[in-house]
Structures are given as structure tokens and as C-alpha cells.
Amino acid sequence: FITKQGGRCRRMFRNQYDTDVTTWSPQGRIHQVEYAMEAVKQGSACIGVRSKKHAVLTALKRSANDMSSYQKKIFKVDEHVGIAISGLTADARSLCKYMRTECLQHKYVYESPQTVQRLVVDVADKCQVCTQSSSSRPFGVGLLVAGVDQTGPHIYYNCPSGNYFEYKAFTIGARSQAAKTDLEK
């Protein structure tokens, strides 16, 4: 928007507090993080469920139109870990590459697979760092991480703000509330 003020043209932003992640609004919100969370809500639906022996991920594949192909929504990280994504695919690929590197480094140094919780904490820390530096933006992707380690199967949700939670069953993406209702039954 452009307005005239005092004979000069001045450009107005839609919101003066959404230009970077280090600017807090008067309500105590960081709009860039909220925009990243909204990208997850508008992404493809993904569901993760675990039992006593297994963890399963499913994702809905959508294409923009009839002429385009589907984008991958489930990625293999290591032999014991996989992720389902909702949000910006480019950000998800970047985090998946980071997770693969972390698993390989752990396997090389300790000669054992990395625990699922430690991997999720590493990714959450990486996501959280992006919420406090003005030189980067938050990752616009939510990850459902499924894995099996010595303690059993796990389903974690990692959100763009850097928070992570463990669930027995969880869903993210578009129309996730309807899926949550069905999972609660």
C-alpha cells in the first residue's frame, strides 16, 4: 500500500511487526513464527500412530493441478527413523538432510544408531535457533518423526517454533482436526 503523507509518498506495510523474527508485536507475538505455523496447517495431512511394537506414518499426496506430479511427503532418515512432512517441502528437505547427517555422524562415532529422542531434540534446537536470529526465518514445516530404538517405537511432532512433543497418535496439516477427532475415538 502507498499513502500520501505530508506531500511525500510513503509505503505502508501490512503489519510493521512481521518483517523479521526478532521483532515482537505489542501483543507479545512473533508473526514470522505464526506464519510458519500457518504453513504447516495448510500443508498436506499427515498421520502418525504407534503401538507397542510399531510406528506408522501416512500422508496425503496432493498435486497443484492435473499437469503436475506429486511431491514426496514421507522421507526415510535412517534404518530406524522416518519423517512425514506438512508445510514447505524445501524446508523439509533441508531438515531431512540435517537429520541424515546427524544419524551418520552418530553411527560413525559411536557405532550404534542414534536414539529417536536425541535426534528430535537436535532438530528442535536447530528450528528454535531460527526463531531468534534476524538473519534467518523459521522453518515453515512441521515434522512427524516415527522411529524405533531400544526403548520402543516413538511418534514425535516437531513444530516450526522449536517445540517437540511425543504422542501415541497425532496428525498435522489440512483438515487435521477431523483426523484428531477420529483418532480419539
Side-chain angles (χ1 to χ4, degrees):
F1 300 108
I2 298 177
T3 62
K4 260 195 162 172
Q5 187 175 30
R8 296 184 341 206
C9 288
R10 195 179 120 196
R11 188 174 206 182
M12 290 180 53
F13 292 103
R14 185 172 54 105
N15 185 343
Q16 63 183 349
Y17 302 103
D18 68 352
T19 55
D20 64 22
V21 294
T22 59
T23 305
W24 291 77
S25 72
Q27 295 82 22
R29 299 170 23 194
I30 301 177
H31 291 283
Q32 287 288 319
V33 174
E34 290 182 6
Y35 297 157
M37 305 274 275
E38 189 61 32
V40 174
K41 289 179 189 173
Q42 293 180 6
S44 295
C46 299
I47 299 174
V49 180
R50 75 173 168 101
S51 67
K52 292 183 180 182
K53 294 185 179 182
H54 305 286
V56 179
L57 294 173
T58 61
L60 177 65
K61 291 202 262 184
R62 301 190 295 193
S63 62
N65 60 37
D66 295 336
M67 300 297 282
S68 66
S69 65
Y70 298 109
Q71 291 184 336
K72 271 179 82 171
K73 298 295 177 183
I74 298 178
F75 298 93
K76 179 181 174 182
V77 175
D78 200 7
E79 294 297 322
H80 67 295
V81 180
I83 59 172
I85 64 152
S86 179
L88 302 177
T89 307
D91 289 351
R93 288 182 181 154
S94 174
L95 288 175
C96 184
K97 182 178 177 183
Y98 172 78
M99 292 171 79
R100 287 176 179 155
T101 303
E102 289 296 309
C103 285
L104 285 172
Q105 285 179 346
H106 189 277
K107 196 178 289 185
Y108 179 74
V109 173
Y110 299 105
E111 297 179 356
S112 65
Q114 189 169 27
T115 61
V116 180
Q117 181 180 9
R118 182 71 241 164
L119 183 62
V120 170
V121 169
D122 288 344
V123 172
D125 289 344
K126 184 174 178 68
C127 291
Q128 198 278 329
V129 165
C130 291
T131 66
Q132 60 189 13
S133 170
S134 63
S135 63
S136 63
R137 64 169 177 80
F139 289 101
V141 65
L143 303 176
L144 276 181
V145 182
V148 179
D149 56 20
Q150 310 89 308
T151 60
H154 302 278
I155 296 285
Y156 287 94
Y157 169 57
N158 189 336
C159 69
S161 65
N163 292 326
Y164 66 94
F165 306 96
E166 185 172 13
Y167 293 97
K168 292 182 180 178
F170 197 67
T171 178
I172 58 175
R175 298 184 298 275
S176 63
Q177 190 57 45
K180 283 179 190 174
T181 304
D182 287 342
L183 287 173
E184 289 173 357
K185 291 179 185 178

